[in-house]
Amino acid sequence: RNAETGTMPPSTAAPSLIRRRGIRSKHSNALTLCGESRYLVLILSAIMFAMAILLLGMRLGSQYAPPALAAPELALNTHAKLDINESGGKRHHIRIPAKADISTSNLQIGGLKQQQQQAEENILDDETRRKNEEAQEKENDADYDDPKAHEMHAPNHDYEKRKSPELPDASEEVDAIGQYIYRRQVEIQKDNNALHLDDEGVKEKESLKMHEEAMQKFAQERQIHLEASDKSLKIDADSSKNHQHLRVQGVHKNVLPTNPFQSFEPLGGRRYEEYKNGSSPKTITQQMKDSSDKIARERREFVKDAMKHAWSGYKKYAFGADELLPLSKKAGGYWGGLGVTLVDSLDTLWLMELHDEFWEARDWVRDNLFYSSVGAVSVFETTIRSLGGLLSAYDLSGDPVFLQKADDLGSRLIQAFESPNGMPYEQTNLNMCYSFNSPWLRNSVKIAEIGTLQLEFRFLSRATKKPMYAEKVNRVFDLLADKQPPNGLYPLNVQNDVTDIRLDASKSTLGGNGDSFYEYMLKTWIQGGKKEGKYRKMFDKAMDGAHNELVQKSSPDGLTYVADLQSNHLDHKMDHLACFMGGLWALGAYTNPDGLDSPKAQRDLVHGKAITYTCYQMYARFPTGLAPEIARFDGNPKDQDISAQVSTYLLRPETVESLFILNFLTGDPVYREWGWEIFQAIERFCRTDVAYTQLSDVGNMNGARMDKMESFFLAETLKYLYLLFDPDTKVDILNTHVFNTEAHPLRRFDILDEIVAAT
């Protein structure tokens, strides 16, 4: 509009004014009609006024003589839905258990609903309304005065109402029938030990005191006994009781129970100190193993339910997307639209025997996963998550769909190796022949990103009988082996814009950007049937350097950790990512060519156990029972071994990975106990109503949650936890399988050779 005249410019005003003139024409006709019918309006107004007076008289009369009406016959199926709806009233959905014995003598209805009460309040004076409310309150108290009914609050998912343990006020929530049925529902729910869900499902709110009490009661009634005695937690519940068969909107479904770990309290640090130095404080007997296996099988079902919970949320809100955003309940992720969470989770579904979910995901892969429209992706991340996920799913299930997709993806990723010296570029476009390094890397690439591709491409080469895949990645390892520094530890950056191999001067670390390179030295040797000795030598030389230069002891407790080395100076911090070293050292010890009793094998095993204890303490010593992303070990604050440099918890798997490996190799039940504590803390602080979320501060029990769930939580964290509690698994890390760095199990080549020879 023109600020001075109030008119609009001709070019924009004309269409708008035409529409407005049309509207004005209609209004003008309507006004003319009303002017001609003014007498009719007066007559209608008089009639409406008389009807209002009559209605008011009937309303006031009903206050002093409420009729007693018999309750309707209640013949409902289990958890059926009763609709109480009077004319002009609001529809209320009240869930009634089967065979509910509702006495009709206590049901008196005044015929008033919420909307009618609101109309009455607009007419009655304040004194009359106050007296009526007091009388109603006394009547309610007289009808029902059983305090036990409040022990287990019935489902009321309006959280503004649930802030108080009192029942909803009749004038705001339900009428007299609704209140009585609501109370009876509480009693029957308590007696029948059942949990009822409303149409939207149970929601969580940690800060709600009543919710926590309800969940604690629920856990007790399901016989989940968490006892912290003799440094051991035991579960006596039958795992089959972890599911409920509920009727939701008239349809029976398997519904996951509400979080039974809502009341879990972290047990604190400085426990199990006899494990601090990597020693074996007790002899593990077969009886101890059998007892641990029995408890583990029960705990295994809880981890399986956690996977089902996360997967159901992903399926509902983000199926086929890269990630689920667990707070906003939307699809997210930045992996190029590869369905990363789905593909990364395939073998987890298979190992947990969630076969219906697995085959549904397989169908999505077959019908919807195509790479021709995908642009730039990280070669490293796409290889370990997507390519590794497809190959593992193929190796477990034998379905050729996965191998076909893996071959297609591998043929596009392999173009990244076309650099002057064969060191792959950091990114590549899947829909065109163009690869490049990220701008901040310029002419170099991280050592872990080029040294963590071997397991996947070697397996793909063998499965497809295409040698080029293995040739490309083997050449990377061979060239790097020739350039291994004297101390065995590689700097982080390698140039790939020159024809020779140049290692940029930068720090050496077993944490981020260096970690999985050392992992693949050992595992590539294992994958090949322990025949390629040069890769084992690379690993042993690197571990000599790690033990000599990176392994440190904290003060005052003497915890073992690995520092970063930069310019001949140590940075006394350790990434959570480095916690995989406990399992890696143990695996290296048990596969040492000189035997487990050799000096280097024992050195690796002792340090592997010791650093795993430290990583467990990184969880146990923080209020949430969860570990920070980066911890410092420089004694600041004073007399505190561990402090948080980066306090976020990202649902990472490295600690539980080491717990799984050490338990598998040593049989010591203590690693299961530590893992069980970690799992409970995840359930308590990270579980949402649809999935799991990252935490912003492990030092704050009421800290903010982050709207993020990486695919590795389903692919690694939950898988390793499940395997930790699965004594019946066919995955054997010592004799038949090797895990890639994303926890995708692949059979070793010598095992595949035996199968081929036998068939």
Side-chain angles (χ1 to χ4, degrees):
R1 287 185 177 274
N2 186 296
E4 297 180 358
T5 64
T7 61
M8 298 183 69
S11 60
T12 59
S16 178
L17 290 177
I18 290 174
R19 289 192 295 272
R20 290 176 181 172
R21 277 196 292 271
I23 294 174
R24 285 173 184 150
S25 297
K26 292 181 180 180
H27 287 180
S28 297
N29 294 337
L31 291 172
T32 301
L33 176 62
C34 290
E36 295 172 352
S37 306
R38 57 185 179 274
Y39 296 108
L40 179 59
V41 172
L42 292 175
I43 294 172
L44 292 175
S45 300
I47 294 174
M48 293 173 64
F49 180 77
M51 292 177 66
I53 295 298
L54 179 61
L55 178 61
L56 176 61
M58 295 174 64
R59 178 72 60 86
L60 293 176
S62 66
Q63 285 293 311
Y64 302 98
L69 302 180
E73 202 54 35
L74 300 178
L76 305 176
N77 292 328
T78 304
H79 312 306
K81 190 162 60 178
L82 173 64
D83 295 340
I84 303 174
N85 187 27
E86 299 177 10
S87 60
K90 178 182 177 182
R91 182 175 295 273
H92 300 279
H93 302 298
I94 309 296
R95 299 203 177 277
I96 311 230
K99 302 180 181 179
D101 183 15
I102 308 290
S103 174
T104 60
S105 61
N106 289 335
L107 299 179
Q108 292 191 350
I109 310 169
L112 302 179
K113 296 296 291 180
Q114 184 174 351
Q115 293 180 353
Q116 295 173 333
Q117 289 176 345
Q118 185 63 44
E120 178 184 86
E121 289 175 359
N122 293 335
I123 300 175
L124 294 176
D125 57 40
D126 293 339
E127 182 63 23
T128 302
R129 183 167 60 253
R130 184 183 63 80
K131 291 180 179 180
N132 289 341
E133 291 174 351
E134 292 177 354
Q136 182 66 39
E137 182 178 356
K138 292 179 180 180
E139 182 181 351
N140 291 341
D141 293 340
D143 284 345
Y144 188 81
D145 192 24
D146 185 2
K148 293 184 179 181
H150 299 284
E151 292 180 3
M152 180 72 176
H153 219 22
N156 173 17
H157 304 289
D158 182 351
Y159 286 109
E160 294 303 318
K161 300 296 188 295
R162 288 181 62 187
K163 289 181 180 178
S164 172
E166 299 177 357
L167 293 172
D169 183 43
S171 64
E172 298 179 354
E173 185 66 21
V174 294
D175 57 9
I177 285 183
Q179 281 203 40
Y180 184 83
I181 295 175
Y182 183 89
R183 293 169 177 141
R184 288 292 297 158
Q185 184 187 17
V186 173
E187 286 187 302
I188 298 171
Q189 174 181 322
K190 178 175 178 291
D191 295 338
N192 292 348
N193 203 13
L195 178 66
H196 304 284
L197 304 179
D198 68 358
D199 295 342
E200 297 179 354
V202 174
K203 301 178 181 178
E204 296 178 6
K205 194 168 185 178
E206 294 178 5
S207 62
L208 222 52
K209 180 179 179 181
M210 288 305 300
H211 183 63
E212 293 181 357
E213 293 176 355
M215 293 306 100
Q216 184 177 8
K217 186 68 176 178
F218 172 65
Q220 293 172 353
E221 292 176 350
R222 300 186 68 76
Q223 299 180 355
I224 302 172
H225 302 296
L226 307 175
E227 300 176 357
S229 60
D230 297 330
K231 303 177 181 179
S232 176
L233 297 176
K234 294 184 178 180
I235 293 295
D236 298 323
D238 186 346
S239 60
S240 64
K241 295 182 179 180
N242 193 40
H243 297 85
Q244 291 183 324
H245 202 51
L246 303 180
R247 178 178 292 274
V248 179
Q249 294 182 337
V251 179
H252 285 287
K253 298 179 180 179
N254 283 324
V255 180
L256 290 169
T258 312
N259 186 0
F261 303 100
Q262 190 66 36
S263 60
F264 169 73
E265 294 294 336
L267 302 178
R270 291 186 170 88
R271 293 174 294 116
Y272 301 99
E273 290 195 327
E274 63 271 25
Y275 287 88
K276 178 175 62 178
N277 295 318
S279 60
S280 298
K282 55 186 176 183
T283 301
I284 308 302
T285 65
Q286 188 60 45
Q287 183 179 2
M288 293 172 61
K289 291 182 179 180
D290 293 342
S291 177
S292 176
D293 288 349
K294 181 179 179 180
I295 297 173
R297 289 185 180 95
E298 296 170 345
R299 293 173 173 176
R300 176 180 64 188
E301 298 306 310
F302 289 95
V303 181
K304 184 175 181 178
D305 280 343
M307 179 63 185
K308 291 169 67 176
H309 177 63
W311 182 260
S312 64
Y314 172 74
K315 177 181 175 182
K316 182 175 181 179
Y317 295 104
F319 193 68
D322 285 337
E323 291 177 0
L324 165 66
L325 304 181
L327 298 181
S328 56
K329 301 177 184 178
K330 298 186 298 185
Y334 42 81
W335 303 110
L338 297 173
V340 171
T341 292
L342 185 147
V343 174
D344 220 2
S345 303
L346 286 167
D347 51 8
T348 305
L349 296 172
W350 181 274
L351 292 173
M352 293 186 181
E353 298 183 347
L354 298 174
H355 291 152
D356 289 342
E357 292 84 348
F358 176 85
W359 292 116
E360 183 179 23
R362 186 285 307 265
D363 291 345
W364 184 92
V365 170
R366 179 193 62 201
D367 300 334
N368 299 281
L369 184 58
F370 301 99
Y371 307 110
S372 57
S373 60
V374 179
V377 298
S378 165
V379 175
F380 164 72
E381 295 287 357
T382 304
T383 297
I384 65 172
R385 301 191 194 211
S386 296
L387 184 59
L390 291 168
L391 292 173
S392 181
Y394 167 70
D395 195 35
L396 290 169
S397 70
D399 194 305
V401 166
F402 298 120
L403 183 58
Q404 294 166 7
K405 296 295 183 179
D407 190 17
D408 184 14
L409 178 59
S411 67
R412 298 169 188 270
L413 290 171
I414 204 69
Q415 67 188 7
F417 289 79
E418 301 302 324
S419 69
N421 60 6
M423 301 296 107
Y425 291 102
E426 194 266 340
Q427 295 192 40
T428 190
N429 281 73
L430 297 185
N431 58 357
M432 63 179 69
C433 295
Y434 176 61
S435 302
F436 56 95
N437 294 331
S438 295
W440 56 86
L441 294 175
R442 290 190 172 182
N443 60 349
S444 63
V445 65
K446 296 299 182 183
I447 191 77
E449 296 192 338
I450 63 175
T452 315
L453 309 172
Q454 284 66 29
L455 295 183
E456 297 83 359
F457 278 101
R458 281 159 55 100
F459 191 93
L460 178 62
S461 182
R462 183 181 180 89
T464 61
K465 297 181 172 58
K466 296 180 179 180
M468 69 166 180
Y469 292 132
E471 291 171 356
K472 295 286 188 182
V473 294
N474 285 341
R475 184 171 184 269
V476 171
F477 256 28
D478 293 342
L479 292 174
L480 290 175
D482 294 338
K483 292 290 185 179
Q484 189 168 18
N487 67 355
L489 300 174
Y490 287 79
L492 290 185
N493 298 326
V494 182
Q495 288 186 238
N496 60 358
D497 65 339
V498 293
T499 56
D500 58 340
I501 302 299
R502 299 180 185 179
L503 305 177
D504 292 350
S506 56
K507 74 175 182 180
S508 298
T509 179
L510 299 179
N513 296 317
D515 48 2
S516 52
F517 173 48
Y518 301 103
E519 175 186 4
Y520 272 38
M521 292 178 186
L522 175 64
K523 290 184 175 180
T524 300
W525 172 71
I526 294 175
Q527 182 189 50
K530 305 177 183 178
K531 299 175 182 178
E532 300 157 296
K534 57 185 173 183
Y535 301 143
R536 176 75 203 205
K537 291 180 180 179
M538 282 180 69
F539 173 76
D540 288 337
K541 184 176 181 179
M543 294 307 100
D544 288 344
H547 289 297
N548 294 334
E549 301 194 31
L550 302 184
V551 173
Q552 304 291 315
K553 293 285 187 178
S554 70
S555 177
D557 291 344
L559 300 177
T560 301
Y561 67 97
V562 288
D564 290 349
L565 179 64
Q566 187 164 14
S567 301
N568 295 322
H569 295 285
L570 290 176
D571 184 6
H572 295 273
K573 62 95 171 173
M574 184 169 74
D575 300 353
H576 188 286
L577 289 165
C579 286
F580 85 101
M581 285 302 305
L584 185 68
W585 272 329
L587 184 61
Y590 273 80
T591 59
N592 193 299
D594 296 330
L596 181 61
D597 294 330
S598 63
K600 285 191 175 182
Q602 284 298 304
R603 176 202 64 183
D604 288 351
L605 183 58
V606 167
H607 280 170
K609 291 179 177 180
I611 199 171
T612 300
Y613 176 79
T614 299
C615 291
Y616 161 62
Q617 289 297 300
M618 286 170 59
Y619 281 79
R621 295 194 183 191
F622 284 88
T624 59
L626 297 170
E629 176 69 0
I630 301 177
R632 295 208 63 83
F633 293 84
D634 49 12
N636 186 23
K638 188 177 180 181
D639 298 331
Q640 182 171 321
D641 294 72
I642 306 173
S643 60
Q645 178 173 318
V646 178
S647 60
T648 54
Y649 174 67
L650 304 182
L651 301 170
R652 287 204 183 275
E654 289 78 21
T655 297
V656 295
E657 174 185 357
S658 289
L659 295 177
F660 157 66
I661 294 174
L662 278 166
N663 175 260
F664 186 93
L665 296 176
T666 69
D668 194 335
V670 73
Y671 300 113
R672 283 175 170 164
E673 300 307 319
W674 299 351
W676 184 240
E677 289 182 31
I678 293 171
F679 173 72
Q680 291 177 95
I682 293 173
E683 287 288 306
R684 164 75 188 277
F685 295 103
C686 301
R687 182 175 175 128
T688 73
D689 56 338
V690 301
Y692 293 83
T693 182
Q694 300 174 356
L695 295 185
S696 62
D697 185 2
V698 297
N700 185 354
M701 297 181 73
N702 297 312
R705 294 180 169 191
M706 302 161 64
D707 196 14
K708 182 75 170 174
M709 182 180 72
E710 290 259 18
S711 68
F712 58 65
F713 177 67
L714 285 72
E716 299 186 72
T717 308
L718 290 180
K719 182 186 296 158
Y720 280 131
L721 282 167
Y722 183 83
L723 292 174
L724 174 63
F725 301 121
D726 184 16
D728 309 310
T729 182
K730 299 298 188 294
V731 176
D732 185 345
I733 59 174
L734 203 55
N735 298 299
T736 61
H737 288 81
V738 60
F739 280 92
N740 86 333
T741 196
E742 191 77 359
H744 296 307
L746 299 168
R747 281 178 294 179
R748 291 168 19 180
F749 293 165
D750 55 330
I751 302 302
L752 295 175
D753 290 338
E754 293 176 4
I755 295 173
V756 171
T759 57

